Amino acid sequence: MRLFVIVLMVLYLYALAFGIFMTESFRLPAPFLFGFPLILLFREGGKELVYSKELIAFTLALISYYVIGIGDYPSFFATLLNFILCLFFFNYFIGSNTARYNLSVFIFFILLGVSALVLVLNNYFVGIDGLRAQLVDDVILQSPAGISTTQFTFGYQLAAFTPFLLIYTFLFQKPLFIRLLAFLTCLVLIYLGMQRSVFVTFAFSISLFLILAYRFKAVILITIAVIFSLAFYNLVLKNDVNSRDNIVAKNINNDPEHNRSLLTAENLRIYSEYPFGLVFYGKTWGDVIYRNQVFSSGITSHNAYLMFMTYLGPFLSLGFLLFIYGGVFRIAYPALKEIRKKENALLLCLCFSFIAVSINASAHNAWLLSADGPTLFLYFSILHFNKLKPSTELSPALIYNR
């Protein structure tokens, strides 16, 4: 029975992490198929719903954005399903069970690591696309990437995985060569991942961590990291024969007509014409970009927060954002003030990972309110941390006790 529960956990977290529904194969959405039995049959928590406020706030935000704003009912129901299942997974399945919490975090980041490995293979073996299609049970749209259909979706996985991996080696005081190996791994993955936004989020989250943890010494550490990165690029990565599929080549070949700054500037101009939000003017995005050269292809500004504010206006959008993210801030802020405390180590790894994926959303469409897998898991794992006392170490040797 214990093995059966662990298998279900892996399958549910797999579906959550990679946004997989597999309705063509199972008819029922994969997160529901694997998550509902855990919640129903192996409940650890009591009957109390400790996330009732979050449930109400998210539901109202999703209705405002997807139903009233966009009129996209399928996305609304899919997003709400993912959100409710993740909320119930932590509330009822994990409950007060520390072992389940630790094992869930361990499994989740192992899955992200496997996806990163698939990315590396995808850069050098064309046949990996066939494997990727089987792993996501869908048509592959972009390569190279990991367990995802597009590079943008994979970017969130990388944004969550890389800061967690490196900061983990610092906070759990791993040997120096392990820290260097983790740093090199992150550099290679970001280089091959072709996501400039991930590079920015990684640099910011790691720099913030070093400044908070080491104060003035952080300047030296950051300088060494920059020099080491440049040397590693010039001596190793620059000679990569697969020069077409990397972050440098992508930056050189980027279409200047659709860069992020241009899209953002045009989105702000549109917002200035409808300052209270499109929903209050009875407009949709399609209405306001009609014959707009910048958005002629129908794309958005690729800034999840800006689009949310464009639809709902400053009052509704900021109100939802302050409430939803306020819970994470109240938990993270005291831990950041005592960043060297060992009992805060796992929480801080999760927090910096969450900071990274949240910043990444400012350059893409997916985010917490689109039920992006890594962002959603990190959100509830941080909220749930205060409701139990997790182990200070993640290890494959964790014993899962039912």
Side-chain angles (χ1 to χ4, degrees):
M1 184 61 70
R2 185 182 305 170
L3 179 60
F4 177 67
V5 174
I6 293 176
V7 169
L8 279 179
M9 288 176 65
V10 173
L11 291 173
Y12 169 68
L13 292 173
Y14 181 90
L16 174 65
F18 306 129
I20 295 171
F21 273 67
M22 295 184 175
T23 48
E24 292 292 327
S25 299
F26 299 116
R27 293 187 180 274
L28 290 173
F32 179 83
L33 183 65
F34 303 129
F36 187 70
L38 291 172
I39 298 164
L40 181 66
L41 302 176
F42 305 100
R43 176 180 295 192
E44 182 71 23
K47 295 182 179 180
E48 181 186 4
L49 180 60
V50 296
Y51 296 115
S52 56
K53 293 180 180 178
E54 285 77 10
L55 178 59
I56 294 171
F58 268 85
T59 302
L60 292 175
L62 294 177
I63 290 173
S64 301
Y65 186 59
Y66 284 104
V67 177
I68 301 174
I70 305 178
D72 188 349
Y73 291 90
S75 293
F76 166 73
F77 287 113
T79 303
L80 186 63
L81 175 66
N82 253 342
F83 170 76
I84 291 176
L85 284 171
C86 190
L87 183 150
F88 282 4
F89 175 81
F90 278 91
N91 193 99
Y92 294 120
F93 174 71
I94 292 180
S96 58
N97 192 314
T98 302
R100 287 185 177 183
Y101 180 91
N102 286 322
L103 188 58
S104 296
V105 174
F106 177 75
I107 290 172
F108 194 85
F109 280 95
I110 286 295
L111 289 172
L112 295 186
V114 171
S115 184
L117 176 61
V118 172
L119 160 74
V120 176
L121 296 175
N122 195 206
N123 269 268
Y124 301 103
F125 301 98
V126 179
I128 297 299
D129 275 343
L131 173 63
R132 287 177 57 210
Q134 293 180 342
L135 290 173
V136 298
D137 193 32
D138 205 345
V139 178
I140 296 301
L141 301 177
Q142 290 180 323
S143 296
I147 305 177
S148 64
T149 58
T150 65
Q151 293 172 343
F152 302 113
T153 304
F154 174 72
Y156 283 85
Q157 302 172 26
L158 211 56
F161 180 72
T162 49
F164 184 95
L165 176 65
L166 184 56
I167 292 173
Y168 182 88
T169 63
F170 276 88
L171 291 178
F172 289 99
Q173 300 177 352
K174 300 300 179 182
L176 179 60
F177 80 94
I178 296 293
R179 300 183 191 186
L180 290 175
L181 180 61
F183 185 52
L184 286 175
T185 300
C186 293
L187 290 181
V188 171
L189 293 177
I190 293 172
Y191 174 76
L192 296 177
M194 301 180 68
Q195 289 294 301
R196 291 159 297 178
S197 59
V198 175
F199 174 74
V200 173
T201 61
F202 176 77
F204 178 85
S205 57
I206 297 302
S207 298
L208 179 62
F209 164 73
L210 292 174
I211 291 170
L212 293 176
Y214 297 99
R215 307 292 178 179
F216 296 109
K217 293 180 182 177
V219 177
I220 300 174
L221 292 174
I222 293 173
T223 303
I224 293 174
V226 170
I227 294 173
F228 184 82
S229 300
L230 292 173
F232 182 66
Y233 169 73
N234 284 289
L235 296 175
V236 181
L237 298 181
K238 191 175 182 179
N239 299 319
D240 179 20
V241 294
N242 194 20
S243 58
R244 178 178 58 85
D245 294 330
N246 60 62
I247 194 172
V248 178
K250 180 179 180 180
N251 190 58
I252 294 173
N253 298 324
N254 185 47
D255 181 4
E257 295 295 324
H258 293 93
N259 62 66
R260 292 293 190 273
S261 58
L262 178 63
L263 296 176
T264 299
E266 185 63 17
N267 192 163
L268 287 171
R269 187 193 66 77
I270 292 173
Y271 175 76
S272 67
E273 295 179 358
Y274 305 94
F276 295 108
L278 296 182
V279 295
F280 293 98
Y281 297 90
K283 299 286 186 178
T284 66
W285 182 249
D287 295 333
V288 298
I289 63 170
Y290 181 65
R291 293 185 176 178
N292 187 306
Q293 292 300 313
V294 176
F295 298 113
S296 58
S297 61
I299 62 173
T300 67
S301 62
H302 291 290
N303 184 323
Y305 306 108
L306 184 55
M307 287 302 299
F308 189 63
M309 187 175 294
T310 299
Y311 267 102
L312 302 187
F315 305 111
L316 271 181
S317 61
L318 291 178
F320 283 129
L321 290 175
L322 287 173
F323 179 84
I324 292 171
Y325 286 94
V328 170
F329 179 80
R330 285 191 294 271
I331 294 171
Y333 183 68
L336 291 172
K337 289 174 63 178
E338 300 178 320
I339 198 168
R340 303 301 289 272
K341 275 193 173 183
K342 191 172 183 180
E343 55 265 34
N344 290 332
L346 180 56
L347 172 61
L348 288 165
C349 291
L350 295 169
C351 286
F352 281 104
S353 185
F354 183 74
I355 289 172
V357 293
S358 298
I359 295 174
N360 196 59
S362 63
H364 298 285
N365 292 323
W367 64 311
L368 183 59
L369 282 181
S370 64
D372 170 67
T375 313
L376 191 58
F377 179 85
L378 288 167
Y379 178 79
F380 279 109
S381 63
I382 293 171
L383 290 186
H384 208 72
F385 190 92
N386 268 15
K387 303 187 186 307
L388 37 75
K389 296 292 182 181
S391 166
T392 56
E393 187 78 37
L394 294 180
S395 166
L398 283 170
I399 298 175
Y400 172 67
N401 295 314
R402 165 69 185 134

